[in-house]
């Protein structure tokens, strides 16, 4: 489905070399309410990103997905 493809693409972007792209991907996953084990796992992994803004975006995404 379109949503599945979108989520898969966002998960791929979480490993993009550009921090701003990684952060946007985390926010996008939260905005579509992607509460799936693979998404939560990827976002949890992103909490250890080298960029503090990406870590913040992942934290915010997890807060939205797991209130």
């Amino acid at each position: 489905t379109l949503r599945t493809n979108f989520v898969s693409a966002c998960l791929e972007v979480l490993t993009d070399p550009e921090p701003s792209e990684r952060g946007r991907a985390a926010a996008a996953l939260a905005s579509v309410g992607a509460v799936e084990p693979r998404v939560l796992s990827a976002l949890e992994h992103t909490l250890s990103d080298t960029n503090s803004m990406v870590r913040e975006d992942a934290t915010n995404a997890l807060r939205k997905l797991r209130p």
Side-chain angles (χ1 to χ4, degrees):
T1 67
L2 181 60
R3 184 179 184 284
T4 300
N5 291 341
F6 178 77
V7 169
S8 294
C10 287
L11 289 172
E12 195 171 310
V13 175
L14 283 178
T15 62
D16 191 276
E18 180 58 44
S20 63
E21 295 299 316
R22 296 193 305 273
R24 277 187 272 239
L29 288 166
S31 72
V32 297
V35 183
E36 303 172 24
R38 67 185 182 137
V39 171
L40 298 176
S41 177
L43 288 171
E44 288 167 359
H45 178 74
T46 305
L47 294 175
S48 62
D49 195 279
T50 57
N51 184 281
S52 64
M53 294 302 293
V54 175
R55 292 192 304 270
E56 184 177 332
D57 289 333
T59 299
N60 291 336
L62 284 167
R63 283 186 182 140
K64 288 179 183 176
L65 293 172
R66 296 189 304 202

